[in-house]
Amino acid sequence: MKEIVSIFPIFSATEMQSALDPAGTQASEISSLWWLYFWILIAIFTLVLICICIAVLRAGWKPRESRPNEPPPQPSAATDRRIFAIVSTCVVATVLILFALLFIDIFASRSVYALSSEPHPLSLKIIGHQWWWEVQYQDPDQPSNTMTTANEIHVPVGKVVRLELTSTDVIHSFWVPNISGKKDLIPGYPTKTWLKADKAGSFRGQCAEFCGHQHAHMRLEFVAESHSDFDKWLAQARQNARPPSTPSQQRGQHVFLSNQCIMCHNIEGTPARATTGPDLTHFASRTMMAAGSFPNTRGYLAGWIANPQNIKPAVKMPPNALSSDDLNALVDYLESLK
Ligand code: CUA
């Protein structure tokens, strides 16, 4: 993995996603299976190449045109029997290897789903939208305590997390390659999966089912952290948004609430209660924006608000014709929502 990062210095390690660099129980199973297949197939491929080379060398190969009158070789009865024995052995070996791989595959998928029988203290609901992820942290004891965020998932290391997946429009697929396998989000048909992160770190997830124009930019940030960091994050995420503390932030909040922003977004603790677009209550605490498309910086944010179509064409958010002072104040306000 590190070698790939050094070949492509434009990527940082956290921007990479790899099913072969497992940080979760299921990803480890999948990665072991992948390597087993890889080495068995490499061995067979090498064996076939060696056999082809031996055959060519033994036949003393020369172009057919250089020996036009030579009759084609006729194998003897003994050679025929030998060829039959070799081919039959290879066919039997192929069938046995394929069955062995099939059973190993079945056992791997059983252990991938074995997490479902373990206690899962954390339940998340993930809703796919074109082209972003809505993430709800549920509280079984107090349903009103449900916290909604977008495009960023935090989980505690070593705990089984249950995911309920659904979609509001088309089929998407949840995939964080370093943590677990893929699972589809199907409109009207909730699916379930379980995952467990074994290592702390920040990993990139990606929608794995073609879902339209911006499918490639439907990413998410998956953060596995210690229990204390996770508890701190969740407690903070459940708070209402910070009230604006400077005149510019106050103006920004007024711009937000008096323009079309309020028709799509929710900011807890303010009159903005819409759920069409991502929840922005703690927008500034997220490292990426527009479903992992860009770093959450002032420049991208201002450009995004002014005209998202320029940087993520076909996205559902419309352009906003704001004066530069209003835009600046709005960015100030959004950047204060830690
Ligand atoms: Cu959502 Cu592809």
Side-chain angles (χ1 to χ4, degrees):
M1 222 29 228
K2 298 214 173 50
E3 299 77 63
I4 299 174
V5 172
S6 62
I7 297 170
F8 299 105
I10 50 166
F11 296 114
S12 77
T14 53
E15 282 172 328
M16 298 298 292
Q17 53 190 39
S18 172
L20 303 182
D21 186 15
T25 306
Q26 291 144 310
S28 300
E29 295 284 349
I30 294 167
S31 157
S32 309
L33 185 68
W34 193 92
W35 283 113
L36 183 76
Y37 265 70
F38 178 77
W39 288 119
I40 290 178
L41 298 185
I42 282 284
I44 293 170
F45 179 67
T46 314
L47 213 62
V48 170
L49 278 189
I50 291 173
C51 292
I52 291 173
C53 290
I54 292 174
V56 168
L57 290 175
R58 283 180 55 169
W61 187 82
K62 41 184 162 142
R64 194 83 201 145
E65 302 82 62
S66 66
R67 38 178 181 155
N69 301 324
E70 201 178 292
Q74 293 296 325
S76 65
T79 313
D80 251 352
R81 277 198 299 277
R82 209 156 53 98
I83 291 174
F84 179 78
I86 293 173
V87 170
S88 316
T89 311
C90 289
V91 168
V92 171
T94 305
V95 170
L96 288 180
I97 291 171
L98 286 176
F99 266 101
L101 290 176
L102 174 68
F103 282 110
I104 293 167
D105 194 15
I106 290 171
F107 282 116
S109 78
R110 282 177 66 143
S111 37
V112 161
Y113 283 99
L115 287 181
S116 63
S117 54
E118 291 186 26
H120 44 272
L122 184 61
S123 276
L124 307 187
K125 184 169 181 182
I126 299 190
I127 303 163
H129 300 262
Q130 283 176 317
W131 293 276
W132 60 283
W133 307 88
E134 180 179 343
V135 184
Q136 295 179 357
Y137 283 74
Q138 296 169 328
D139 185 340
D141 304 325
Q142 205 181 333
S144 63
N145 214 10
T146 297
M147 186 277 285
T148 303
T149 181
N151 303 323
E152 194 170 294
I153 297 176
H154 288 242
V155 302
V157 169
K159 284 260 191 268
V160 178
V161 182
R162 177 182 181 272
L163 303 182
E164 189 188 326
L165 307 158
T166 184
S167 165
T168 55
D169 35 48
V170 298
I171 299 178
H172 304 271
S173 182
F174 177 86
W175 190 32
V176 185
N178 299 68
I179 302 294
S180 70
K182 300 169 186 172
K183 191 76 186 179
D184 278 0
L185 296 81
I186 304 166
Y189 183 80
T191 49
K192 285 188 285 275
T193 191
W194 291 261
L195 55 81
K196 186 165 90 176
D198 295 330
K199 276 189 223 163
S202 183
F203 308 97
R204 199 173 78 174
Q206 168 70 48
C207 178
E209 177 72 40
F210 181 70
C211 54
H213 198 121
Q214 288 295 344
H215 156 70
H217 293 134
M218 186 167 167
R219 305 191 190 121
L220 62 95
E221 197 74 8
F222 187 97
V223 182
E225 56 200 355
S226 68
H227 290 209
S228 58
D229 284 352
F230 172 75
D231 290 343
K232 225 186 294 170
W233 174 83
L234 189 58
Q236 161 69 15
R238 286 207 160 114
Q239 303 282 314
N240 280 350
R242 289 182 185 194
S245 60
T246 66
S248 180
Q249 290 171 13
Q250 277 159 3
R251 177 174 173 171
Q253 190 189 50
H254 176 74
V255 171
F256 189 95
L257 299 177
S258 57
N259 280 281
Q260 54 188 356
C261 321
I262 193 174
M263 292 163 72
C264 294
H265 295 283
N266 177 56
I267 297 183
E268 288 294 329
T270 75
R273 308 293 299 166
T275 53
T276 310
D279 185 292
L280 300 177
T281 307
H282 298 288
F283 169 75
S285 68
R286 306 206 276 261
T287 54
M288 302 292 283
M289 54 171 287
S293 304
F294 318 104
N296 190 356
T297 61
R298 194 174 176 89
Y300 276 116
L301 179 55
W304 177 261
I305 296 168
N307 191 357
Q309 303 299 325
N310 277 343
I311 43 181
K312 195 168 173 179
V315 69
K316 309 285 176 192
M317 180 164 155
N320 291 280
L322 299 172
S323 72
S324 58
D325 287 347
D326 278 353
L327 181 59
N328 245 317
L330 180 55
V331 172
D332 277 344
Y333 173 57
L334 291 173
E335 284 197 318
S336 75
L337 299 177
K338 294 275 183 200

